[in-house]
Amino acid sequence: MLRRLSAPTAAATLLLLSASGCVKEISSDERLDRETQNLSAKEMPGAAELEKLTCEDSTEALIKARNVNRPETDRLVDYIELYSSLRKRTATFEDAMNRNPDLSYREGTQHLVNAKDNCIQQTADVRVEFETYMRELVGVPTVQEIKGGNTVTIARLDFNTLRQAIETLEPDDKDTLLNQVNAAEKRVAPSTPAGDESAPASGGGRKRGR
């Protein structure tokens, strides 16, 4: 005689039979993780753009910017360009590694981590030097020169370049520094074009002034 199964028992049996025939599906994240594990370091997303990126080539540009025998406007332009370039390269490293954290931890990517760290350090070091020079120029932005027996105030460098340097660095006291530059510009003799640095500020009858 067949025994009729109760409703709860039948439901449990059906559920068990159904479960035994199911194939577990992996999530998209798990699938991506498995696929990523099979990639070499150079094939990982973002790695290709970082392989050719370096900040070790900044020495020559830095030496050029430090050259005290060059016009101060030119030196400041070099600092602006070098710092902006280093900052951009550092951001590229950080963005790529934020998009793909495996670039920081996978075997074979340590050289990318080292390159990123070098860019961060280079950017920080150049910023300190660049900002020190910028503040020196803001502090003494004009020189005095003897013309026709009279002492006139002339620009030590191009004021627009000095403003650009301040904007590039974006220090906390940016507005104060810009106001100082604007005030200095008003003291310059109208007949003297800013940025005329044909002679060093320390010679040729010139003396620095505020």
Side-chain angles (χ1 to χ4, degrees):
M1 180 177 179
L2 294 175
R3 182 181 177 186
R4 178 175 295 180
L5 296 175
S6 64
T9 304
T13 303
L14 181 60
L15 180 61
L16 180 61
L17 291 173
S18 299
S20 63
C22 288
V23 177
K24 181 183 177 182
E25 292 187 7
I26 63 173
S27 67
S28 58
D29 289 340
E30 290 174 320
R31 185 179 297 107
L32 179 61
D33 186 56
R34 291 183 183 181
E35 292 173 353
T36 301
Q37 290 176 359
N38 295 326
L39 294 175
S40 67
K42 291 186 178 181
E43 293 173 329
M44 294 176 67
E49 63 182 306
L50 301 184
E51 286 290 340
K52 53 189 176 183
L53 202 59
T54 179
C55 291
E56 295 181 355
D57 56 354
S58 61
T59 302
E60 184 177 345
L62 191 56
I63 291 174
K64 186 179 177 183
R66 288 171 174 168
N67 188 347
V68 297
N69 294 318
R70 299 177 62 235
E72 292 183 295
T73 297
D74 294 347
R75 291 182 60 198
L76 199 57
V77 168
D78 288 339
Y79 272 117
I80 291 171
E81 292 178 349
L82 176 58
Y83 176 68
S84 298
S85 176
L86 288 172
R87 189 170 59 178
K88 182 178 180 180
R89 281 177 269 180
T90 299
T92 300
F93 271 113
E94 292 177 337
D95 289 345
M97 291 183 173
N98 286 336
R99 291 197 310 269
N100 185 3
D102 282 343
L103 287 171
S104 299
Y105 307 108
R106 285 287 304 279
E107 182 179 355
T109 61
Q110 185 59 45
H111 66 294
L112 298 179
V113 176
N114 293 340
K116 182 198 75 170
D117 291 343
N118 181 52
C119 278
I120 292 174
Q121 187 61 53
Q122 289 266 17
T123 303
D125 291 345
V126 169
R127 180 186 174 89
V128 170
E129 193 170 316
F130 176 20
E131 184 168 353
T132 298
Y133 184 49
M134 177 273 290
R135 289 183 180 278
E136 175 195 334
L137 294 172
V138 171
V140 187
T142 62
V143 294
Q144 292 182 328
E145 188 174 70
I146 305 299
K147 285 189 176 182
N150 298 319
T151 300
V152 295
T153 300
I154 65 172
R156 182 178 172 186
L157 76 163
D158 177 59
F159 286 127
N160 286 331
T161 302
L162 186 52
R163 291 188 185 95
Q164 183 183 354
I166 296 170
E167 294 286 355
T168 300
L169 287 164
E170 291 188 305
D172 292 338
D173 58 344
K174 181 181 77 171
D175 291 341
T176 299
L177 294 170
L178 289 173
N179 287 336
Q180 287 181 248
V181 175
N182 293 337
E185 190 171 35
K186 294 176 181 178
R187 297 195 301 269
V188 172
S191 60
T192 305
D196 182 5
E197 302 174 24
S198 56
S202 58
R206 293 185 180 185
K207 59 181 179 178
R208 294 182 181 181
R210 292 184 179 275

